[in-house]
Each structure stands twice: as structure tokens, then as C-alpha cells.
Amino acid sequence: MSIYLEDNPAQITKADLVVGIPSWREEATIALVAEQAALGLKRYNQTSVIINSDNNSDDNTKALFMGANTHGIPAIYLSTPPEIRGKGTNLLQIFSKAAQLEAKAVVVVEADVTSVRPSWITSLLEPILNGHDLTTPLYANPKHQALLTNLALYPLLRCLWGRRVQQPSGGERALSARLVKKLLKKEPWPAAALGAGVDIFITITAISLGLPLCQSYVGNSKVHKQSADATPSSAFSGTMATLFQLMLACPNWQDVRWSRPTAVYGMKQGRQSNTLDHATDLKPLQQRYSAGKAAAWEFFLNFPETAGLLKDARQNDIDHALWANLLLASFKLYRGQPQLLEKIITALETFFWGRLLYFFHQTTQLNSQQIEDFIEKQCSIFEECKACIT
């Protein structure tokens, strides 16, 4: 990918280690993230640089990044054209620049993470320097957070590609030079990977290529604000569209029968709350599910791949088996009629709200270990249901 705009005041032409920070309108936090990243890089006796790849923000993101205290680590600012946005486009620019710099490793940290610490850089980077090609994060957040991951991405990735990667779309990660080069060779990326689906795209690409990967505890919970252009709907649609496109592009998942664990680096830290917040207001979820349920139900009834699954879909009980079969059958429908992708994802999103309601109803009184057991049981059922699409 060609770089639209670059500000490289130190004229850096080579660096062993790169921390990349994708951003759009992150003036409130980017200086903090840059400083914490610099403190992490200073632990290594190697040439380093911090790169901010921005979507041409109209606030003070650039000025605050370039003025951040990076403790002697040089900074480079990149920008996409004004009309182009998306985390995937940011990462493409970071990877392109890292390849130019002949970097050994790239660590990606989101620009709005206020809980980032220098130890995050170490935790993500060490496995790469020891021979892995991808490190995905393990945060200390309670299991009732990251529900798109826990209820859709993790079970699908485990079921299809056979790897138990608990945070396959975690925004913080590290990549080897080899993986960066292979990703750049895959241009043009799927459209959905240029936005919210980029992290899952990177994870699945590494698994499909048979590259060694591991998970790493970053030490504390991830605390960040919701990005200005990110909503639950955009995250679901972008990520699921990417998954479906990758299932066509990387068909080796058909040869996978069961899942296997993925190595974990570091020690688990942090405390998780024992139970869900009893004050969680489910009314907005119920309203969203009720508003779209009839249309989604009618859409899926039109196709033999999905019609037989929906006799109970008018109810709120989107249990493990129904959810697993519906996601897998929806891919089967997409495989036969790819022009229906947008409509399929829209209908699935409605049932996702129903799945969230089921999750909250089933787990409100459970502790963290019991919630983890709930998620693991769900994953086992996904693996059992895989036969319907192979």
C-alpha cells in the first residue's frame, strides 16, 4: 500500500522494532499510549520507532502524538487520504512502513486504551523475538465483556480453524516480519478487513498459513472508549463479513476436525468480578431483538439451508445448538449465494441480540469460572455442529 502522507522528522530509514498505533480522532489519549509504548520499547537494546497511522483526523491527534514524551524513541506520523477510514487501512500503512524499515517485529496498540502499560509491549513482543509469528492478547477483563468475541468469534474460529485463541480480534497484538510480508502480499484485502474485521483477518491468515502463534497475558484489564466510528452493529457486521469471506478464501478449515490449545505466554493477573452486574438493563437488547426478529425470521425461511432451524426462533431462547447451527448454515447459504452477504449478516445480527439475551438470562447468577464453562460448552457444540457444512 502506498503511503499518502508521512511526517518523519528524524528521517528514520531502519528500525528493528516498531510499535504501530492506528487512530482516528484520538487526541484525548494518543500521547499517553505513545509514551507507554516508548517506555516498553526502551527495555530493548534495539533500534525502535513508534508509528501513528491516522485517518486524517480533524482534531489535534497528530500534534499531540508528535509532541508526546517518547523518551528518545523517534516518532513517525502517517495519514490516509481524507476520504478513507478504517483500522485496516491504518494497519496496512503501518505494515508497509515497517517492511520499508526492515523491522523484525511490529506491535500494534490501539490509540484509545487508557490502561496500556509498558509491560504490554514486552508481553506481546517477547514471543515474536522467540520465534512466533503472531501474539494475540489475553486481557484480565471479566468473561461477560467482549461478548461478540466470546459468543461468536472464539467458537467459530475454534470450530473452523481448530485453534483455541480466546481473543482472536483483540486490538493489541504483535507480528513478525514474516507475517507482515505475507499480509502485504495478500493485497487487496477483503473489503471488511479494511475496517473492524482486520484483527480477525490477521489471526485467521496466520493460522491458515500454518505459522506459529501464541497468546499472551498483558497483565491488566483493557479500558478504552468506543471508537468514534465503531458501534456494536458495525463491529458485528464487519467482523462476520470478514469471517465469511475468509471461509471462502481459506478453505483449509474443511480439513480440520477438532480444536487444539494455543500456547500461552506469561502469568494470568488481575481480578475478575464474580458475577454479572445485576443492574444490567436488558430492555434495549430486548427492544432491538423484537424490532428485527420478524424480518430476520422471514428472510431465513426463504432458504432451505436455514429454514428448518427456525421453528423456535420467535422465542428468546437462542441456545447453544440453535446459535451454532444458524451461524454455520448462514455460511452455507452465503457460499451458494455470495450476493446475499449483506442481507445474511443483517439477519444474523438480529439473532445475535437474541443470543445476548439468552446469555444474560443464563449467566446472571454465575461466577467467572461458571461463565467460562458456559462458553466452553458452547464451543464444544459448535465443533459438533461443524459437520453440517463440510
Side-chain angles (χ1 to χ4, degrees), residues 229-356:
D229 60 347
T231 64
S233 295
S234 68
F236 182 90
S237 59
T239 304
M240 294 305 298
T242 302
L243 267 176
F244 278 21
Q245 291 168 2
L246 286 171
M247 288 169 73
L248 286 184
C250 306
N252 59 326
W253 57 265
Q254 298 178 74
D255 301 323
V256 176
R257 289 294 171 261
W258 301 102
S259 66
R260 60 189 176 94
T262 297
V264 175
Y265 175 87
M267 297 294 292
K268 186 174 184 178
Q269 301 177 37
R271 298 179 61 187
Q272 297 185 2
S273 59
N274 288 329
T275 58
L276 290 172
D277 181 0
H278 290 28
T280 300
D281 183 5
L282 300 183
K283 288 182 180 179
L285 268 181
Q286 183 64 64
Q287 291 170 353
R288 180 172 281 184
Y289 181 45
S290 298
K293 183 168 55 175
W297 191 79
E298 293 297 335
F299 172 78
F300 280 133
L301 279 182
N302 290 320
F303 307 101
E305 294 89 346
T306 51
L309 300 171
L310 297 178
K311 61 180 180 180
D312 296 324
R314 291 186 186 275
Q315 307 304 316
N316 285 335
D317 291 337
I318 311 298
D319 61 18
H320 294 332
L322 176 57
W323 180 234
N325 279 303
L326 186 58
L327 283 176
L328 294 170
S330 295
F331 168 72
K332 190 174 182 180
L333 171 58
Y334 163 68
R335 182 167 57 185
Q337 302 189 60
Q339 74 279 6
L340 293 176
L341 179 60
E342 185 175 348
K343 292 181 179 179
I344 292 169
I345 298 299
T346 298
L348 274 179
E349 184 184 323
T350 294
F351 286 107
F352 178 61
W353 307 134
R355 178 62 177 165
L356 289 177

Side-chain angles (χ1 to χ4, degrees), residues 89-390:
T89 60
N90 296 130
L91 292 188
L92 263 177
Q93 289 207 141
I94 290 169
F95 296 159
S96 296
K97 189 61 185 177
Q100 290 177 18
L101 297 173
E102 301 178 6
K104 299 176 184 177
V106 178
V107 180
V108 177
V109 182
E110 294 188 327
D112 64 344
V113 182
T114 57
S115 58
V116 64
R117 300 291 182 268
S119 59
W120 287 31
I121 305 303
T122 306
S123 297
L124 295 168
L125 188 54
E126 284 295 322
I128 304 300
L129 298 180
N130 284 286
H132 289 84
D133 286 298
L134 175 66
T135 311
T136 60
L138 287 172
Y139 308 107
N141 298 63
K143 289 292 181 181
H144 57 268
Q145 295 182 12
L147 292 178
L148 173 58
T149 295
N150 288 332
L151 300 181
L153 306 187
Y154 173 47
L156 275 174
L157 183 84
R158 173 172 164 170
C159 159
L160 295 169
W161 281 276
R163 294 300 297 269
R164 301 175 194 173
V165 181
Q166 294 182 36
Q167 292 287 335
S169 62
E172 283 63 52
R173 56 190 50 229
L175 301 84
S176 69
R178 176 166 63 168
L179 178 53
V180 166
K181 289 175 183 177
K182 289 183 180 296
L183 286 166
L184 291 173
K185 287 180 180 178
K186 282 186 168 288
E187 283 195 83
W189 288 358
L194 296 175
V198 63
D199 295 312
I200 193 72
F201 168 69
I202 292 171
T203 302
I204 291 174
T205 298
I207 294 172
S208 298
L209 292 172
L211 300 178
L213 68 153
C214 78
Q215 306 171 95
S216 181
Y217 286 109
V218 297
N220 56 312
S221 298
K222 180 173 182 175
V223 179
H224 67 136
K225 74 176 182 63
Q226 195 172 69
S227 298
D229 60 347
T231 64
S233 295
S234 68
F236 182 90
S237 59
T239 304
M240 294 305 298
T242 302
L243 267 176
F244 278 21
Q245 291 168 2
L246 286 171
M247 288 169 73
L248 286 184
C250 306
N252 59 326
W253 57 265
Q254 298 178 74
D255 301 323
V256 176
R257 289 294 171 261
W258 301 102
S259 66
R260 60 189 176 94
T262 297
V264 175
Y265 175 87
M267 297 294 292
K268 186 174 184 178
Q269 301 177 37
R271 298 179 61 187
Q272 297 185 2
S273 59
N274 288 329
T275 58
L276 290 172
D277 181 0
H278 290 28
T280 300
D281 183 5
L282 300 183
K283 288 182 180 179
L285 268 181
Q286 183 64 64
Q287 291 170 353
R288 180 172 281 184
Y289 181 45
S290 298
K293 183 168 55 175
W297 191 79
E298 293 297 335
F299 172 78
F300 280 133
L301 279 182
N302 290 320
F303 307 101
E305 294 89 346
T306 51
L309 300 171
L310 297 178
K311 61 180 180 180
D312 296 324
R314 291 186 186 275
Q315 307 304 316
N316 285 335
D317 291 337
I318 311 298
D319 61 18
H320 294 332
L322 176 57
W323 180 234
N325 279 303
L326 186 58
L327 283 176
L328 294 170
S330 295
F331 168 72
K332 190 174 182 180
L333 171 58
Y334 163 68
R335 182 167 57 185
Q337 302 189 60
Q339 74 279 6
L340 293 176
L341 179 60
E342 185 175 348
K343 292 181 179 179
I344 292 169
I345 298 299
T346 298
L348 274 179
E349 184 184 323
T350 294
F351 286 107
F352 178 61
W353 307 134
R355 178 62 177 165
L356 289 177
L357 284 170
Y358 179 82
F359 170 82
F360 282 117
H361 288 145
Q362 294 292 314
T363 61
T364 298
Q365 300 301 321
L366 303 185
N367 61 34
S368 294
Q369 182 58 54
Q370 290 170 324
I371 294 173
E372 188 165 336
D373 292 342
F374 175 97
I375 293 168
E376 289 300 303
K377 180 179 179 181
Q378 166 196 244
C379 290
S380 296
I381 291 175
F382 266 77
E383 292 187 44
E384 293 168 4
C385 293
K386 182 179 178 179
C388 74
I389 59 168
T390 54

